[in-house]
């Protein structure tokens, strides 16, 4: 939040994550006492730096609006306001470094380094640290099935209808599938998902709605990754970044 163009947006997403999952404060993650291998420490530092950079991106502060309209005798149209494609593409590229398990400084890599390192620590650090990892892992798995907003909505409905079953949203594409389709069929690679992406373009309104959802999913997951970066900072006792108003920011 201290790096954000619009800090209130960060607070809003963190409140949603807190409501959805009740995640423990990442700043209270126990500091590791035993040294890490240089490669592991570098990977964690890179992950944290990538999160700090992504936190400054204008997409996180941009207004995103959509409007459905239908004139008599014409098909439904969807108009939406988004930042320029160069901003969207740039965001998707750095997001992929945090999200993809193939990247050597991604969330998955950092989580596994921390989990492995905790097993060598004393009982107090190990027990608390592994409990944190389990809770954050469960939350991330849920975010790959449903968007953050969908999870919040389901929890609100459950609170309003105690004892009743709340059906999950009907998704033609999970967040994981949408990320893959737009990353490897349009935004980053014109690769093995290009035919799947081309298929949805036959239905323009549907395609735009999916693209909007793709961006919202990226943003929701980004805030999760920012929180985990705070956890990693605490684990390695790294100094937090200074605010954008501080001239000493690198």
């Amino acid at each position: 939040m201290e790096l954000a163009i619009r800090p209130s947006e960060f607070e809003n997403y963190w409140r949603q994550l807190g409501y959805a999952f009740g995640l423990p404060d990442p700043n209270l993650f126990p500091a590791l006492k035993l040294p890490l291998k240089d490669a592991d420490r570098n990977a964690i530092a890179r992950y944290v730096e990538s999160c700090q950079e992504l936190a400054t991106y204008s997409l996180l502060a941009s207004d995103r609006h959509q409007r459905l309209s239908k004139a008599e005798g014409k098909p439904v149209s969807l108009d939406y306001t988004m930042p320029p494609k160069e901003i969207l593409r740039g965001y998707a590229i750095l997001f992929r470094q945090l999200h993809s398990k193939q990247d050597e400084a991604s969330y998955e890599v950092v989580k596994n380094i921390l989990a492995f390192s905790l097993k060598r620590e004393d009982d107090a650090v190990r027990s608390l640290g592994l409990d944190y990892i389990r809770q954050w892992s469960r939350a991330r798995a849920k975010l790959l099935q449903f968007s953050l907003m969908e999870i919040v909505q389901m929890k609100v409905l459950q609170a309003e209808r105690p004892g009743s079953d709340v059906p999950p949203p009907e998704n033609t594409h999970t967040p994981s599938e949408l990320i893959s389709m737009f990353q490897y069929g349009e935004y980053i690679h014109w690769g093995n998902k290009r035919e799947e992406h081309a298929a949805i373009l036959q239905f323009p309104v549907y395609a735009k709605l999916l693209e909007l959802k793709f961006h919202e999913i990226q943003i929701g997951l980004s805030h999760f990754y920012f929180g985990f970066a705070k956890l990693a900072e605490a684990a390695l006792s790294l100094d937090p970044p200074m605010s954008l108003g501080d001239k000493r920011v690198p």
Side-chain angles (χ1 to χ4, degrees), residues 41-189:
R41 188 176 183 86
N42 289 340
I44 293 174
R46 166 67 186 193
Y47 171 82
V48 171
E49 290 168 3
S50 296
C51 284
Q52 291 172 356
E53 179 183 338
L54 196 67
T56 69
Y57 278 25
S58 61
L59 179 63
L60 297 173
S62 299
D63 292 324
R64 299 175 297 278
H65 302 293
Q66 56 182 296
R67 183 181 63 191
L68 279 168
S69 59
K70 186 180 189 309
E72 187 172 347
K74 294 184 178 181
V76 174
S77 64
L78 173 65
D79 296 319
Y80 65 105
T81 302
M82 290 290 290
K85 197 64 169 274
E86 64 188 43
I87 290 176
L88 300 176
R89 199 180 296 276
Y91 192 95
I93 289 170
L94 186 54
F95 171 82
R96 181 188 178 278
Q97 291 189 22
L98 301 174
H99 180 75
S100 174
K101 62 184 179 182
Q102 278 80 36
D103 197 278
E104 295 184 8
S106 66
Y107 160 81
E108 282 284 351
V109 169
V110 170
K111 181 199 73 173
N112 291 337
I113 290 172
L114 292 176
F116 179 79
S117 301
L118 283 165
K119 293 176 182 178
R120 303 184 295 123
E121 296 284 341
D122 61 44
D123 288 345
V125 172
R126 179 174 63 251
S127 177
L128 179 59
L130 289 177
D131 181 58
Y132 263 69
I133 296 293
R134 281 191 290 270
Q135 291 188 62
W136 284 74
S137 296
R138 287 196 294 266
R140 201 253 187 166
K142 190 83 170 180
L143 287 167
L144 296 181
Q145 295 177 306
F146 304 101
S147 72
L148 177 57
M149 181 54 68
E150 288 170 339
I151 295 169
V152 168
Q153 289 170 347
M154 284 189 285
K155 191 156 186 177
V156 168
L157 289 173
Q158 288 168 348
E160 290 185 347
R161 300 167 57 188
S164 302
D165 291 332
V166 175
E170 294 186 6
N171 285 328
T172 54
H173 297 82
T174 66
S176 185
E177 291 167 345
L178 275 181
I179 290 170
S180 178
M181 179 174 66
F182 280 98
Q183 283 186 345
Y184 300 105
E186 165 59 14
Y187 273 84
I188 300 176
H189 299 291

